[in-house]
Amino acid sequence: MTTNYLARAAGHRPGSNATATLEVVIPVYNEEADLEQCIRRLHEHLWERIPFRSRITIADNASTDGTLAVAHRLAAEIDGVRVHHLDEKGRGRALKAVWLASDADVVAYMDVDLSTDLNALMPLVAPLLSGHSDLAIGSRLNRSSRVVRGVKREFISRSYNLILRTSLRARFSDAQCGFKAMRTDVARKLLPLVEDTGWFFDTELLVIAEKVGLRIHEVPVDWVDDPDSSVHIFDTAVKDLQGCWRVGRALATGVLPVAELRRSLGREPLVAGVPHGMIGQLVRFGIIGVASTVAYALLYLVLHPVIGAQAANFAGLLITAVLNTAANRAFTFGVRGPAGAGKHQLQGLAIFGFALLVTSGSLATLHAWSPDVSRHVELAVLVVANLVATVCRFVALRWVFRSSESTRSESAGSESDPLGENR
C-alpha cells in the first residue's frame, strides 16, 4: 500500500504503461454520445488535481453501438486511458473483471454521465491510500450533500436505503451512488463472494464488507441527476429487492463465510476475550432480558394465587424461556429461518432447566427460612435469582448460536472455497 503518495506528485501524470496508484473504471453500455466528453474531462481532472499516478479504464460491457470504437480511439489519443471489453452486459460484471485484474493500490468507478462532482474524488480515495479505510462511497443522502434530482428518484432512493437498513441492518447511507472506491487488496478478498453482475453489485459488496467489519468511508457529494439516464427504474428496483432477499438468506443460513473472511482480513477483535459483536449482543440481550423479566413477574403475580409459588415460578419461567430463546435467536444472535429452530429451542429448554433449579432452590430456601413471607418478597428473591441465571443464559446461548454458525460455515466451506485459500 502506498503511504507516501504526496511525495510522488512530480510523477503523477496518468500513464497507461506504468503501475498506477489509482485506477478509475468507467463502465459503459451504448454510451458513444457521452463517452468522449466524460473521459477527457476526467483525464483533465486527474492530470491537474490528483497528486499521484492514475489510470482510466473504459469497461465496455457488450455495447452494440459505436462505444467500443470511440473507446479505442480515446485510448490511442490519450496517455493513461485503456479499454477492457466484455462480451456480456452488466455493470457489476465489468467492475469485477477490471478490479480483480488491477495492479493499482486503489480501484474506483464512476458513472459515465459524471453526475457526481469530481472534486469529491480526492476525499474519496485519500482515506484508502492512507490505510485508514477499506472502502469509500459517495453519499447523496448526507445532510451536507447538494443534490439535484426529481421527487420520484429521491423517494425511490430513500425508500431503498430504508429497506436495506431494516432488512439487512445496513448502516451505510447510500448504496447506489455511482461513485465508489476500494483498496485493491480488499477487493481481491471480497469480489469472489459477490454474485450479482448488474446494478445490485454495489449493494451486495457493501453489505458483505460491513458484515465482516471493514471500514466504509462516506463522502458527501454534489450530484446532479442525468435526465437522459438509461436506467430502468422499475426493473432495477425489482432486481434489487430480489438481491436483498438472496443476500439476507445467505447471511442467515451461513452460505456467506463471514467469520472466515473476517479472519483473513484481520478484522478479529482488538481486545482478547471480547469477541466481535459481543457488545451489541449484550445490549440486545439486555433489552430482551428486561422484557422477559417483566413478563415473568406479571405471570408469577397472576398465577401465584391460583397454583402456588413453585408452580407459578415453573409456568412463568417456561413461557418466557421459549419466547426468550426465539427472540435472542433472531435479534441478539441474528440466526433466522426455520433451520435448527427446534434444536435451538431444546437447548434453550436445557438452559431453562438450570434457571428453574436456581430459582426454585432460592424459593425453597426462602420458605424454609420464613414460611409466611409475602409474595412481593418472594418475587424480589426470584428476580435476583433470575439475574444470576440470566448471566449463565447469555454465556450458554452465545455458545449455542456460535456453534450453529460454525456448523453452517463449515458446511458451506466444504462445498466451495470462495476465498481461494486452502483450509
Side-chain angles (χ1 to χ4, degrees):
M1 176 59 60
T2 301
T3 57
N4 60 338
Y5 59 88
L6 290 177
R8 298 169 55 185
H12 79 277
R13 303 191 187 286
S16 58
N17 296 322
T19 300
T21 301
L22 169 67
E23 181 166 5
V24 182
V25 182
I26 307 294
V28 291
Y29 172 74
N30 290 350
E31 297 286 357
E32 61 178 348
D34 298 327
L35 181 58
E36 182 166 359
Q37 179 183 3
C38 163
I39 298 303
R40 293 192 181 278
R41 181 180 161 196
L42 175 59
H43 181 268
E44 181 181 2
H45 182 86
L46 293 175
W47 180 280
E48 295 180 352
R49 302 291 183 87
I50 303 301
F52 41 81
R53 189 173 298 280
S54 55
R55 175 196 303 139
I56 301 171
T57 298
I58 303 169
D60 174 60
N61 39 308
S63 292
T64 57
D65 62 357
T67 297
L68 186 58
V70 173
H72 282 302
R73 176 171 59 80
L74 290 170
E77 294 178 3
I78 305 174
D79 188 28
V81 176
R82 66 180 186 177
V83 180
H84 185 100
H85 174 71
L86 294 91
D87 294 327
E88 296 180 89
K89 289 177 60 177
R91 181 183 68 170
R93 178 179 285 109
L95 291 175
K96 189 173 184 178
V98 178
W99 282 358
L100 282 174
S102 179
D103 60 357
D105 296 317
V106 170
V107 288
Y109 95 89
M110 57 188 69
D111 293 333
V112 69
D113 57 20
L114 296 184
S115 295
T116 304
D117 189 334
L118 289 176
N119 287 323
L121 181 58
M122 190 63 192
L124 187 80
V125 300
L128 306 181
L129 288 166
S130 70
H132 176 269
S133 299
D134 304 296
L135 292 87
I137 65 174
S139 175
R140 299 161 296 183
L141 302 181
N142 189 285
R143 289 184 177 181
S144 58
S145 298
R146 296 186 297 176
V147 177
V148 178
R149 63 175 166 181
V151 175
K152 180 180 179 181
R153 282 183 176 270
E154 182 76 11
F155 175 78
I156 291 173
S157 178
R158 291 189 178 275
S159 297
Y160 178 61
N161 282 282
L162 178 61
I163 291 171
L164 291 180
R165 287 195 295 273
T166 54
S167 64
L168 297 177
R169 297 183 182 177
R171 294 187 297 274
F172 48 84
S173 67
D174 191 352
Q176 293 289 31
C177 181
F179 197 72
K180 294 182 175 67
M182 66 188 307
R183 286 174 25 213
T184 308
D185 59 330
V186 173
R188 293 191 184 105
K189 294 286 187 179
L190 292 186
L191 291 178
L193 298 177
V194 180
E195 294 184 16
D196 192 82
T197 58
W199 292 95
F200 187 70
F201 170 86
D202 302 57
T203 302
E204 186 169 357
L205 177 65
L206 289 172
V207 169
I208 295 174
E210 197 171 70
K211 296 302 180 185
V212 300
L214 296 182
R215 287 178 175 171
I216 301 176
H217 176 67
E218 296 200 12
V219 178
V221 297
D222 296 341
W223 192 86
V224 179
D225 186 23
D226 177 14
D228 299 322
S229 174
S230 60
V231 178
H232 300 288
I233 296 178
F234 179 77
D235 181 60
T236 302
V238 171
K239 291 179 179 178
D240 285 345
L241 292 175
Q242 291 173 340
C244 288
W245 169 256
R246 176 177 55 79
V247 172
R249 184 175 57 186
L251 289 169
T253 58
V255 171
L256 282 172
V258 172
E260 295 176 28
L261 187 56
R262 187 181 294 130
R263 286 193 295 271
S264 74
L265 289 167
R267 293 299 172 177
E268 294 175 312
L270 291 175
V271 181
V274 182
H276 178 82
M278 186 172 181
I279 301 300
Q281 288 178 353
L282 278 169
V283 172
R284 294 190 293 273
F285 181 83
I287 294 172
I288 294 171
V290 169
S292 297
T293 301
V294 171
Y296 165 80
L298 292 174
L299 285 169
Y300 181 83
L301 291 174
V302 170
L303 295 175
H304 183 280
V306 181
I307 58 178
Q310 290 287 7
N313 176 54
F314 175 84
L317 277 180
L318 179 61
I319 294 171
T320 55
V322 172
L323 297 176
N324 185 285
T325 299
N328 278 308
R329 180 179 188 269
F331 300 110
T332 301
F333 300 100
V335 180
R336 295 185 173 86
K343 178 183 177 181
H344 294 154
Q345 281 293 349
L346 287 175
Q347 291 168 321
L349 289 176
I351 300 170
F352 151 78
F354 173 77
L356 179 64
L357 180 64
V358 172
T359 54
S360 296
S362 301
L363 197 59
T365 302
L366 176 65
H367 287 159
W369 176 69
S370 179
D372 299 325
V373 72
S374 70
R375 277 182 295 170
H376 296 90
V377 174
E378 291 176 344
L379 184 59
V381 170
L382 288 172
V383 167
V384 173
N386 265 310
L387 289 176
V388 175
T390 295
V391 174
C392 299
R393 177 188 293 274
F394 178 76
V395 175
L397 286 178
R398 186 172 172 82
W399 176 83
V400 166
F401 294 117
R402 177 187 290 174
S403 298
S404 175
E405 181 180 351
S406 299
T407 301
R408 292 196 309 270
S409 296
E410 291 172 4
S411 176
S414 65
E415 297 174 3
S416 63
D417 191 355
L419 298 180
E421 299 174 348
N422 294 325
R423 295 190 183 90

